[in-house]
Amino acid sequence: MDIGIIGSSTVAQTLAAKLLELGHSVMVSSRDTSQAKDRGARGTLPSADAFAAAQRELGRQAAAGSFADAAAHGEVVLNATAGGHSLEALGAGGAQNLAGKILVDVANALDFSHGMPPTLLLCNTDSLAERIQEAFPDARVVKALNTANATVMVDPGQFDEPTAMFVAGNDQQAKDWVRTELLESWFGWRQVLDVGDITAARGLEMWMPLWLRLMSATGTPAFNLRIVTAG
């Protein structure tokens, strides 16, 4: 498939690399595709152009472009921007380019203005996914993958037992596609739970404060939930 990714973050490039490895055509995007990103102590993230060029050297169908280019390119579009800037980036992508398409929102709207750990820009009675669905009513928004680290998103098999991933959204067919194709078939998730309509994204996004504390407590981002029921 042709996949458009709004963003060129670590999450965006991790998702893109996996999708390219699987044989899909992927375009990552940014305002300036030649600009590398400073990740502080973690070093510099390759620019969208550099990432795409490195992937093409591996024989993969990679490209870099504007947000509008990526939105138009994708049969399916993934939002992998920083959550506080997602609406702006998707707006630059163009409502007409998102209309009728599955839009997988993997972002979390985190507020770093008061340092670490960040707080949530939206919570309790609202969520980023709801804001996106409201702003782009013709897009088929599905919240998924935001509850795990990027490397876990694309490689759930690194754990000794199945762990959980979730989908939420108003369009059942879109959720079913994300569950069976993107998550189960492409990425290998074995425990995918449909938690309801788009308002369920509130709970998925509100997992982040605890996720951040667990990362600190365990010393690694490579962990995930497993849902166990009695009986």
Side-chain angles (χ1 to χ4, degrees), residues 199-212:
T199 63
R202 300 171 189 177
L204 299 183
E205 295 176 18
M206 288 168 66
W207 158 244
M208 282 309 298
L210 180 54
W211 187 94
L212 289 162

Side-chain angles (χ1 to χ4, degrees), residues 191 226-230:
Q191 186 183 56
R226 176 172 170 80
I227 306 303
V228 181
T229 60

Side-chain angles (χ1 to χ4, degrees), residues 11-143:
V11 173
Q13 293 188 17
T14 301
L15 290 167
K18 179 63 175 181
L19 292 165
L20 288 162
E21 178 187 328
L22 293 170
H24 300 289
S25 170
V26 180
M27 180 179 288
V28 294
S29 59
S30 64
R31 290 180 180 83
D32 180 355
T33 59
S34 66
Q35 182 66 47
K37 294 185 177 181
D38 182 4
R39 297 186 295 169
R42 294 179 294 167
T44 302
L45 184 69
S47 69
D49 284 337
F51 169 81
Q55 291 292 317
R56 287 195 297 272
E57 289 183 1
L58 298 174
R60 298 170 179 173
Q61 301 178 70
S66 68
F67 295 138
D69 292 334
H73 175 82
E75 298 169 78
V76 171
V77 178
L78 279 62
N79 173 40
T81 59
H85 302 287
S86 290
L87 289 169
E88 179 185 357
L90 290 166
Q96 71 280 6
N97 291 325
L98 299 172
K101 296 180 180 180
I102 295 175
L103 173 56
V104 185
D105 176 31
V106 309
N108 289 296
L110 301 177
D111 181 0
F112 292 91
S113 63
H114 300 291
M116 291 291 289
T119 56
L120 297 173
L121 291 169
L122 300 165
C123 62
N124 295 325
T125 59
D126 203 357
S127 67
L128 176 61
E130 289 173 84
R131 293 282 183 97
I132 292 172
Q133 184 65 87
E134 181 180 9
F136 303 95
D138 294 328
R140 306 163 69 191
V141 179
V142 178
K143 191 77 184 187

Side-chain angles (χ1 to χ4, degrees), residues 141-144 166-170 175 193-198 200-201 204:
V141 179
V142 178
K143 191 77 184 187
F166 312 96
V167 294
N170 294 338
K175 285 193 294 184
L193 301 177
D194 183 340
V195 294
D197 67 19
I198 200 67
L204 299 183

